[in-house]
Amino acid sequence: QEVELQQLQVNWSPRGLLYGQVEITRIEAASLRVDAPPSSEATTLPESLELPLPVRIAHLALGKLLFGEHGEDPTVLAEGVEAELKSDGQTYSIDRLQAQFGQLEIAGEATLAASAPYGLNAHASLKGRALDQSFTLELRGSGPLAQIQVEGRIVAVAKVSGDLRAVLTPFAAQPVASLGAHFTGLDPAVFIAGAPQASLDVDVVLESQPAGPGESAAKGRLSVSNQSAGTLDRQLIPLESLQSGVDWQQGRLTFPGLTLALTGGGKLKWQ
């Protein structure tokens, strides 16, 4: 693994060493690039993250954070990263984190224990736009670093709200052990001009499945109910509910047992 910093500037106070700590006023870099060699093996947990001395970085500023594999163009993970970092040797803290992730603006804070099982507590607020609609996503994560419990709530301008929940296992072969989401108030007419109206409640649950090296697999269920089903001549969608399995294998997504309940009592089913 290679790490490259460009235009690095560091301002620090040696005086802090007299008090047994490292005081850094500012660290700034135009970019940080991490190149990882191709590997199908999962990353392992470190033995320890403890530091011999307390450290405080009053202001961290990073223009771009990039990640890629050797010989390939890197992906820009974040831009405009700013934060305050500190550690008392036993616990790390990130405060006043701000960054741009594509079209998303993120703000948050987190703490991480420096010894196993590396307890994590984090909160992040993401703001952005999707399909010309503004939304806010509030996320909270906690638990040991090897199995992080994530809960989230999304609120959109178009009367849409939803809850997210996930179990992240970043050091396992499948980094997402499970994922669930519940949305209410979805209306296609808000996002697509001229589309018929609906009020959709959507539930989806996915669980990771064993897969070959470098592959991912998941199975679950999808459920959709329409609170305002009706006929197309009334500019409504003639669908009352949808039920289906979800199967992701070798890069292919299928919906086994897809069943549609239509307005008027009709039903369609695919095997």
Side-chain angles (χ1 to χ4, degrees), residues 120-145:
L120 172 71
N121 279 285
H123 168 259
S125 177
L126 292 82
K127 296 182 179 181
R129 294 182 64 84
L131 299 174
D132 292 327
Q133 299 293 322
S134 300
F135 69 89
T136 299
L137 174 61
E138 299 287 339
L139 292 173
R140 293 190 177 275
S142 62
L145 197 57

Side-chain angles (χ1 to χ4, degrees), residues 26-56:
R26 183 180 181 87
I27 293 183
E28 183 175 355
S31 66
L32 169 62
R33 174 172 173 168
V34 179
D35 284 337
S39 176
S40 59
E41 296 182 2
T43 306
T44 57
L45 277 165
E47 293 184 3
S48 175
L49 295 173
E50 295 181 9
L51 296 176
L53 292 175
V55 175
R56 179 174 180 263

Side-chain angles (χ1 to χ4, degrees), residues 106-119:
I106 183 171
E109 62 274 334
T111 61
L112 176 67
S115 57
Y118 307 107

